[in-house]
Amino acid sequence: MSDFLSNFSGDNYEKIRQQKDEQKEKQSQSEAKKKTRSGSLSINKDKQSTDRVEAKSEMSYGPKNSKTNVYDTSKKNEEQPKTHSEPENLEELIYTKKRSKKKKYEPKKEPAVAVETVTNQQRNPEEMIETDPTYKKKQIRKFVLIGLGSLAAVLVMYFGYYQMTHVKVPDFEGKELSEVRQWSSENGVKLQVEQKYDFDKAANIIIHQKVKNKKIKKNQELLIDASLGPDPEEPVALPDFKSMKLDEAKGWISKHKADNLAIIEEYSDKVAAGDYLKFEITNKDVKSENYKRKDKAKVYYSKGKEVFEKDISVPDFAGKPKEEAAEWAKKNEISLKVDEADSEKVENGKIISQSIGKDTKVAKKESMSIQVSTGKALVVPDFSNFTVEEAESKANGLQVQVKQVFNDSVPYGRFISQSVEIGKKYTEKDEKPTIQVVYSFGKPYIKDLKDSTLEGDLQKIFYDEYQSKGANITYQVYYIDSTVTKGTVVKMSRYNEFVPTDCVVQIGISKGNLKPEENKNSEKQEQAEN
């Protein structure tokens, strides 16, 4: 402690102060050189910082530490009120004053460069900080480059997005509509087609498009006009084809685009090649005067006389399939006529005979006929020769439905009729009917229904027993007083006898309203009345 205080004695304190003053002078000289290089602005800042450092350093070291100064200072401290606790020794006193003076004379905040310089000088007076005059320019340049880079990135992203969402529309005018549809489908463009009649453009050719050789956004509509060809409703004045040759007629059709007017060339033995033969309009209601482009018509021109040599040899088609003869005739342009007949020997579809013999020479366009087998025919028999039980088994492969009906004149079990005539033939290709064969039940017989049949059963009994079997037997009911259960059949006008197929039976139905004694009296009364 004594060594530390000895530094602040009179002689030692002066030596220390002189050394620090020399350091300050050296430092100020070096700073002056740097200030000259860095310009007026940095010189002013360095001077301010140097003045502040000198002022602060002078205050930090204080006056010469003599006995009188120490004494005067101690007296002043005794006279002033003690607001703070005094340090116990002199070393603490000196340290406290130096610290408080630093806080009291702490320089105000200056720009970043000046403050940094003062702070560094306070830490180490021998360290020097050199300020870069191009710092701000570099910062500005840095921010400019960052901004330009960001702008370029945004532009690249926008360009990429634009390329992805837009597509260039080619020039489709004069091209097929199918080509435009394919392009719009592949590129995600909505196609709106307006079709118009155009004499100069064929059907489905693009007449006009709203946008071409420009870019449009995907999913946007592209409006185009497509041709429907010439107007079919436009009237066309027909020329006199009789005075026109074949080539002239073709030229007129092409010029007026009358595509529904067809030219047909035919051979003719009387008219020279290329001359007019006839003119026909398909619709009989259309006349030459009101002919329109949509109406169909034919104009015939001659191909002249056709001459063929008889150089085609006819094969033997007997027993061969019909298709073989048909193929030969088509290949050699022979007119083939096909007739059909059943055969016991030749199977179905095979040729029985031909009109032109084997190895005979014929020319094109000649006619030839063949007879083709339909197989073994099924003949409808005479079912009057068979009984009811024999009818189905004697049908010769045909389907038969046997039925029996009541008949007043034909005895029981005898033949009445058949739906298909006797001897009719059916081949394998024919649709074969079901033959209805009818036999007789004889006359109808009425059974006794009294006391065992209810009124509700009469409909079924008369239908099943008589009407379904061809007899037109009906009944009429009336109601009588009786002790029998109500609704029971108690009287019949005819029973247990043969009746005609067309008759009416009177049937009495019990009311069930009498007791046994009353019933006897009513019966006696009826007998008396009769």
Side-chain angles (χ1 to χ4, degrees):
M1 186 69 180
S2 60
D3 294 333
F4 175 77
L5 291 175
S6 64
N7 290 330
F8 294 95
S9 62
D11 296 333
N12 291 332
Y13 182 82
E14 287 295 332
K15 289 180 180 180
I16 293 171
R17 186 166 183 174
Q18 287 176 2
Q19 291 176 0
K20 288 190 176 183
D21 289 340
E22 291 175 359
Q23 291 178 358
K24 286 180 184 180
E25 287 177 359
K26 291 179 181 180
Q27 183 176 356
S28 61
Q29 288 176 1
S30 62
E31 285 178 357
K33 291 179 182 180
K34 291 181 180 179
K35 285 177 184 179
T36 304
R37 291 193 301 267
S38 60
S40 60
L41 180 63
S42 59
I43 292 171
N44 294 332
K45 289 181 180 180
D46 292 336
K47 282 182 179 181
Q48 291 176 4
S49 60
T50 305
D51 294 338
R52 288 173 184 170
V53 171
E54 288 177 356
K56 192 171 181 181
S57 61
E58 288 176 358
M59 290 179 182
S60 298
Y61 293 109
K64 192 174 181 181
N65 194 12
S66 60
K67 295 180 178 180
T68 55
N69 290 339
V70 173
Y71 177 77
D72 293 338
T73 305
S74 62
K75 281 185 177 182
K76 289 179 182 180
N77 292 335
E78 290 177 359
E79 293 175 358
Q80 292 178 357
K82 293 183 180 180
T83 55
H84 302 286
S85 60
E86 293 182 358
E88 294 179 357
N89 51 49
L90 184 60
E91 184 178 350
E92 289 181 359
L93 176 61
I94 295 171
Y95 178 76
T96 303
K97 285 183 179 181
K98 289 173 71 176
R99 183 175 58 183
S100 61
K101 284 178 182 179
K102 285 183 182 180
K103 289 184 180 179
K104 183 176 181 181
Y105 295 99
E106 186 175 1
K108 295 181 180 180
K109 291 185 178 180
E110 296 294 334
V113 177
V115 172
E116 185 68 24
T117 303
V118 175
T119 306
N120 291 335
Q121 287 179 359
Q122 289 177 357
R123 290 177 183 173
N124 190 355
E126 294 181 357
E127 293 181 4
M128 301 301 295
I129 295 176
E130 184 178 354
T131 304
D132 188 1
T134 62
Y135 175 76
K136 287 187 177 181
K137 292 181 179 180
K138 290 180 179 179
Q139 290 295 102
I140 294 171
R141 181 178 167 188
K142 175 181 177 182
F143 289 121
V144 169
L145 292 175
I146 291 172
L148 291 175
S150 301
L151 179 61
V154 171
L155 291 175
V156 170
M157 291 175 65
Y158 176 77
F159 180 76
Y161 172 78
Y162 183 85
Q163 292 294 330
M164 291 174 63
T165 57
H166 289 70
V167 62
K168 186 176 181 181
V169 182
D171 185 0
F172 292 111
E173 291 182 5
K175 296 182 179 179
E176 291 284 345
L177 178 59
S178 59
E179 184 177 345
V180 186
R181 292 189 187 280
Q182 182 179 359
W183 178 87
S184 62
S185 176
E186 291 175 353
N187 292 276
V189 175
K190 296 180 181 178
L191 187 64
Q192 183 178 353
V193 181
E194 291 186 5
Q195 293 187 307
K196 302 176 181 178
Y197 292 112
D198 192 306
F199 183 83
D200 297 324
K201 300 285 185 182
N204 295 322
I205 297 297
I206 305 304
I207 304 171
H208 175 71
Q209 65 186 93
K210 189 173 181 180
V211 179
K212 61 181 177 180
N213 297 325
K214 291 183 180 180
K215 288 194 174 185
I216 61 172
K217 192 173 183 180
K218 293 184 178 180
N219 293 325
Q220 187 175 341
E221 285 189 349
L222 175 63
L223 179 62
I224 63 170
D225 296 332
S227 173
L228 290 171
D231 188 358
E233 296 293 334
E234 182 182 358
V236 178
L238 295 174
D240 183 12
F241 288 107
K242 292 181 181 180
S243 61
M244 298 174 69
K245 294 291 185 180
L246 176 62
D247 293 338
E248 294 174 338
K250 289 181 178 180
W252 182 90
I253 291 172
S254 176
K255 180 180 178 181
H256 292 83
K257 297 187 177 180
D259 296 332
N260 287 326
L261 202 160
I263 292 180
I264 298 176
E265 297 181 69
E266 292 182 345
Y267 287 104
S268 175
D269 295 337
K270 299 178 180 180
V271 181
D275 288 348
Y276 170 85
L277 290 175
K278 60 181 179 178
F279 176 77
E280 294 178 352
I281 297 177
T282 304
N283 189 351
K284 295 180 179 180
D285 297 331
V286 178
K287 305 299 180 184
S288 298
E289 294 77 17
N290 59 357
Y291 178 84
K292 296 180 180 179
R293 186 174 281 106
K294 69 177 182 178
D295 298 324
K296 292 184 178 181
K298 298 176 182 178
V299 57
Y300 293 83
Y301 281 86
S302 173
K303 291 174 68 176
K305 187 177 181 180
E306 188 177 17
V307 179
F308 299 104
E309 294 183 7
K310 292 189 175 183
D311 56 355
I312 302 172
S313 180
V314 179
D316 182 10
F317 292 111
K320 294 182 178 179
K322 175 183 68 175
E323 291 77 16
E324 186 174 332
E327 185 178 355
W328 173 85
K330 182 179 179 181
K331 180 181 179 180
N332 294 280
E333 299 183 29
I334 301 297
S335 178
L336 186 65
K337 182 182 178 182
V338 179
D339 297 322
E340 293 182 338
D342 61 278
S343 175
E344 294 288 334
K345 297 180 180 179
V346 181
E347 62 181 279
N348 181 33
K350 299 294 180 66
I351 297 173
I352 300 172
S353 61
Q354 59 193 70
S355 61
I356 299 177
K358 176 184 176 182
D359 297 332
T360 303
K361 298 290 184 179
V362 295
K364 289 182 178 180
K365 304 300 179 181
E366 285 193 24
S367 297
M368 174 181 171
S369 62
I370 58 174
Q371 192 176 51
V372 180
S373 173
T374 56
K376 187 176 181 180
L378 299 177
V379 182
V380 178
D382 183 2
F383 288 98
S384 63
N385 297 326
F386 311 127
T387 63
V388 176
E389 293 77 13
E390 294 174 339
E392 292 186 4
S393 61
K394 300 292 183 178
N396 293 334
L398 297 170
Q399 189 173 0
V400 176
Q401 185 178 11
V402 180
K403 185 178 181 181
Q404 284 185 284
V405 297
F406 289 109
N407 191 282
D408 293 334
S409 58
V410 180
Y412 178 87
R414 297 292 180 87
F415 173 81
I416 297 176
S417 64
Q418 62 185 71
S419 61
V420 181
E421 60 181 321
I422 300 169
K424 184 173 178 62
K425 293 182 178 180
Y426 290 96
T427 61
E428 293 183 8
K429 71 171 188 176
D430 294 330
E431 185 177 355
K432 302 170 185 63
T434 300
I435 303 173
Q436 303 287 339
V437 181
V438 182
Y439 290 89
S440 175
F441 267 130
K443 288 185 176 182
Y445 183 83
I446 301 296
K447 296 179 181 179
D448 186 5
L449 304 176
K450 292 183 296 181
D451 299 328
S452 61
T453 306
L454 297 176
E455 180 183 4
D457 298 330
L458 293 176
Q459 296 183 39
K460 185 175 186 305
I461 292 170
F462 273 79
Y463 177 79
D464 291 344
E465 296 294 332
Y466 310 110
Q467 294 170 0
S468 65
K469 297 175 182 179
N472 187 27
I473 298 175
T474 58
Y475 64 93
Q476 292 180 350
V477 299
Y478 62 93
Y479 299 94
I480 59 176
D481 297 329
S482 175
T483 58
V484 181
T485 304
K486 180 181 178 180
T488 305
V489 176
V490 293
K491 285 191 177 183
M492 294 180 66
S493 61
R494 305 189 72 168
Y495 60 93
N496 290 340
E497 61 177 310
F498 288 101
V499 296
T501 54
D502 192 0
C503 71
V504 178
V505 179
Q506 302 293 329
I507 297 177
I509 305 299
S510 171
K511 292 181 179 180
N513 58 348
L514 297 179
K515 295 180 180 179
E517 294 179 356
E518 293 176 353
N519 188 33
K520 290 179 181 179
N521 294 331
S522 63
E523 289 178 356
K524 289 179 181 180
Q525 186 176 357
E526 287 180 3
Q527 290 175 1
E529 290 177 356
N530 293 333

